[in-house]
Short mmCIF file of all heavy atoms in Angstrom, two decimals:
data_model
loop_
_atom_site.label_atom_id
_atom_site.label_comp_id
_atom_site.label_asym_id
_atom_site.label_seq_id
_atom_site.Cartn_x
_atom_site.Cartn_y
_atom_site.Cartn_z
N TYR A 45 117.78 95.68 74.11
CA TYR A 45 118.08 96.50 72.95
C TYR A 45 116.87 96.62 72.02
O TYR A 45 116.64 97.67 71.41
CB TYR A 45 119.27 95.93 72.19
CG TYR A 45 119.73 96.80 71.05
CD1 TYR A 45 120.15 98.11 71.26
CD2 TYR A 45 119.75 96.30 69.75
CE1 TYR A 45 120.57 98.91 70.21
CE2 TYR A 45 120.17 97.10 68.70
CZ TYR A 45 120.57 98.39 68.93
OH TYR A 45 120.99 99.18 67.89
N ASP A 46 116.08 95.55 71.95
CA ASP A 46 114.86 95.60 71.14
C ASP A 46 113.90 96.66 71.68
O ASP A 46 113.24 97.36 70.92
CB ASP A 46 114.17 94.23 71.13
CG ASP A 46 115.01 93.18 70.41
OD1 ASP A 46 115.89 93.56 69.63
OD2 ASP A 46 114.78 91.97 70.65
N ALA A 47 113.83 96.75 73.00
CA ALA A 47 112.96 97.76 73.62
C ALA A 47 113.50 99.17 73.38
O ALA A 47 112.74 100.11 73.14
CB ALA A 47 112.83 97.50 75.11
N ILE A 48 114.83 99.30 73.41
CA ILE A 48 115.45 100.61 73.23
C ILE A 48 115.18 101.18 71.85
O ILE A 48 114.89 102.36 71.69
CB ILE A 48 116.97 100.52 73.49
CG1 ILE A 48 117.23 100.30 74.98
CG2 ILE A 48 117.70 101.78 73.00
CD1 ILE A 48 118.65 99.93 75.31
N ILE A 49 115.28 100.32 70.81
CA ILE A 49 115.11 100.82 69.45
C ILE A 49 113.68 100.64 68.94
O ILE A 49 113.42 100.81 67.74
CB ILE A 49 116.09 100.14 68.48
CG1 ILE A 49 115.83 98.64 68.38
CG2 ILE A 49 117.53 100.41 68.89
CD1 ILE A 49 116.62 97.95 67.27
N SER A 50 112.77 100.31 69.83
CA SER A 50 111.37 100.20 69.40
C SER A 50 110.86 101.57 68.98
O SER A 50 111.31 102.61 69.47
CB SER A 50 110.50 99.65 70.54
OG SER A 50 110.41 100.59 71.60
N ARG A 51 109.94 101.57 68.06
CA ARG A 51 109.38 102.82 67.53
C ARG A 51 108.81 103.68 68.65
O ARG A 51 109.06 104.89 68.73
CB ARG A 51 108.30 102.49 66.51
CG ARG A 51 107.56 103.72 65.96
CD ARG A 51 106.44 103.29 65.02
NE ARG A 51 105.64 104.43 64.60
CZ ARG A 51 105.94 105.21 63.56
NH1 ARG A 51 107.01 104.95 62.84
NH2 ARG A 51 105.16 106.24 63.25
N GLU A 52 108.05 103.03 69.55
CA GLU A 52 107.39 103.79 70.61
C GLU A 52 108.40 104.44 71.55
O GLU A 52 108.24 105.59 71.96
CB GLU A 52 106.46 102.87 71.42
CG GLU A 52 105.27 102.33 70.66
CD GLU A 52 105.63 101.18 69.73
OE1 GLU A 52 106.75 100.65 69.86
OE2 GLU A 52 104.80 100.82 68.88
N ASN A 53 109.46 103.72 71.89
CA ASN A 53 110.47 104.26 72.80
C ASN A 53 111.23 105.42 72.17
O ASN A 53 111.53 106.42 72.83
CB ASN A 53 111.44 103.17 73.22
CG ASN A 53 112.39 103.62 74.32
OD1 ASN A 53 111.96 104.04 75.39
ND2 ASN A 53 113.68 103.56 74.05
N ILE A 54 111.56 105.30 70.89
CA ILE A 54 112.28 106.37 70.20
C ILE A 54 111.42 107.63 70.10
O ILE A 54 111.88 108.75 70.35
CB ILE A 54 112.72 105.90 68.80
CG1 ILE A 54 113.80 104.83 68.92
CG2 ILE A 54 113.23 107.08 67.97
CD1 ILE A 54 114.17 104.18 67.60
N LEU A 55 110.15 107.46 69.75
CA LEU A 55 109.26 108.62 69.64
C LEU A 55 109.01 109.27 71.01
O LEU A 55 108.89 110.49 71.11
CB LEU A 55 107.94 108.21 69.00
CG LEU A 55 108.04 107.76 67.53
CD1 LEU A 55 106.67 107.34 67.00
CD2 LEU A 55 108.64 108.86 66.66
N LEU A 56 108.95 108.44 72.05
CA LEU A 56 108.83 108.99 73.40
C LEU A 56 110.08 109.79 73.75
O LEU A 56 109.98 110.89 74.33
CB LEU A 56 108.63 107.87 74.41
CG LEU A 56 108.67 108.26 75.90
CD1 LEU A 56 107.57 109.28 76.21
CD2 LEU A 56 108.54 107.03 76.79
N ALA A 57 111.25 109.27 73.41
CA ALA A 57 112.50 109.98 73.68
C ALA A 57 112.51 111.33 72.96
O ALA A 57 112.93 112.34 73.53
CB ALA A 57 113.69 109.14 73.23
N PHE A 58 112.05 111.34 71.74
CA PHE A 58 111.98 112.59 70.98
C PHE A 58 111.08 113.59 71.68
O PHE A 58 111.43 114.77 71.82
CB PHE A 58 111.47 112.31 69.56
CG PHE A 58 111.20 113.55 68.76
CD1 PHE A 58 112.25 114.31 68.25
CD2 PHE A 58 109.90 113.97 68.53
CE1 PHE A 58 112.00 115.46 67.51
CE2 PHE A 58 109.64 115.12 67.80
CZ PHE A 58 110.69 115.87 67.29
N ARG A 59 109.92 113.14 72.13
CA ARG A 59 108.99 114.06 72.81
C ARG A 59 109.59 114.58 74.12
O ARG A 59 109.44 115.77 74.43
CB ARG A 59 107.67 113.36 73.09
CG ARG A 59 106.74 114.17 73.98
CD ARG A 59 105.33 113.64 74.01
NE ARG A 59 104.62 113.90 72.77
CZ ARG A 59 103.29 113.94 72.67
NH1 ARG A 59 102.54 113.75 73.74
NH2 ARG A 59 102.72 114.16 71.52
N MET A 60 110.27 113.72 74.88
CA MET A 60 110.85 114.14 76.14
C MET A 60 111.95 115.18 75.93
O MET A 60 112.05 116.15 76.68
CB MET A 60 111.41 112.94 76.90
CG MET A 60 110.36 111.90 77.29
SD MET A 60 109.05 112.54 78.36
CE MET A 60 109.97 112.80 79.87
N ILE A 61 112.77 114.98 74.89
CA ILE A 61 113.80 115.97 74.58
C ILE A 61 113.18 117.26 74.07
O ILE A 61 113.63 118.35 74.41
CB ILE A 61 114.79 115.39 73.55
CG1 ILE A 61 115.56 114.21 74.14
CG2 ILE A 61 115.75 116.46 73.06
CD1 ILE A 61 116.44 114.56 75.32
N LYS A 62 112.13 117.13 73.28
CA LYS A 62 111.47 118.30 72.70
C LYS A 62 110.90 119.22 73.77
O LYS A 62 110.89 120.45 73.61
CB LYS A 62 110.36 117.86 71.74
CG LYS A 62 109.68 118.99 71.00
CD LYS A 62 108.69 118.45 69.97
CE LYS A 62 107.55 117.70 70.61
NZ LYS A 62 106.50 117.31 69.62
N THR A 63 110.43 118.66 74.88
CA THR A 63 109.84 119.46 75.95
C THR A 63 110.89 120.14 76.83
O THR A 63 110.54 120.97 77.68
CB THR A 63 108.93 118.59 76.84
OG1 THR A 63 109.71 117.52 77.39
CG2 THR A 63 107.79 118.01 76.03
N ASN A 64 112.15 119.78 76.64
CA ASN A 64 113.24 120.39 77.40
C ASN A 64 113.70 121.66 76.69
O ASN A 64 114.02 121.63 75.50
CB ASN A 64 114.39 119.39 77.53
CG ASN A 64 115.46 119.85 78.50
OD1 ASN A 64 115.96 120.97 78.40
ND2 ASN A 64 115.83 118.98 79.42
N LYS A 65 113.76 122.76 77.41
CA LYS A 65 114.13 124.03 76.77
C LYS A 65 115.55 124.00 76.21
O LYS A 65 115.87 124.75 75.28
CB LYS A 65 113.98 125.19 77.75
CG LYS A 65 114.89 125.11 78.97
CD LYS A 65 114.66 126.30 79.90
CE LYS A 65 115.56 126.26 81.12
NZ LYS A 65 115.34 127.42 82.02
N GLY A 66 116.38 123.10 76.74
CA GLY A 66 117.73 122.98 76.23
C GLY A 66 117.80 122.43 74.82
O GLY A 66 118.85 122.49 74.16
N SER A 67 116.69 121.87 74.33
CA SER A 67 116.68 121.30 72.99
C SER A 67 116.81 122.38 71.91
O SER A 67 117.08 122.06 70.75
CB SER A 67 115.39 120.51 72.76
OG SER A 67 114.25 121.36 72.80
N LYS A 68 116.64 123.62 72.31
CA LYS A 68 116.80 124.74 71.37
C LYS A 68 118.26 125.18 71.27
O LYS A 68 118.60 126.03 70.45
CB LYS A 68 115.95 125.93 71.83
CG LYS A 68 114.45 125.68 71.83
CD LYS A 68 113.88 125.66 70.43
CE LYS A 68 112.36 125.59 70.45
NZ LYS A 68 111.78 125.60 69.08
#
Side-chain angles (χ1 to χ4, degrees):
Y45 185 60
D46 294 340
I48 289 169
I49 64 171
S50 68
R51 175 184 174 86
E52 293 78 13
N53 188 58
I54 292 172
L55 294 179
L56 172 61
F58 173 74
R59 171 167 287 202
M60 297 300 290
I61 294 297
K62 184 174 65 174
T63 58
N64 190 308
K65 63 181 181 180
S67 64
K68 296 286 187 179

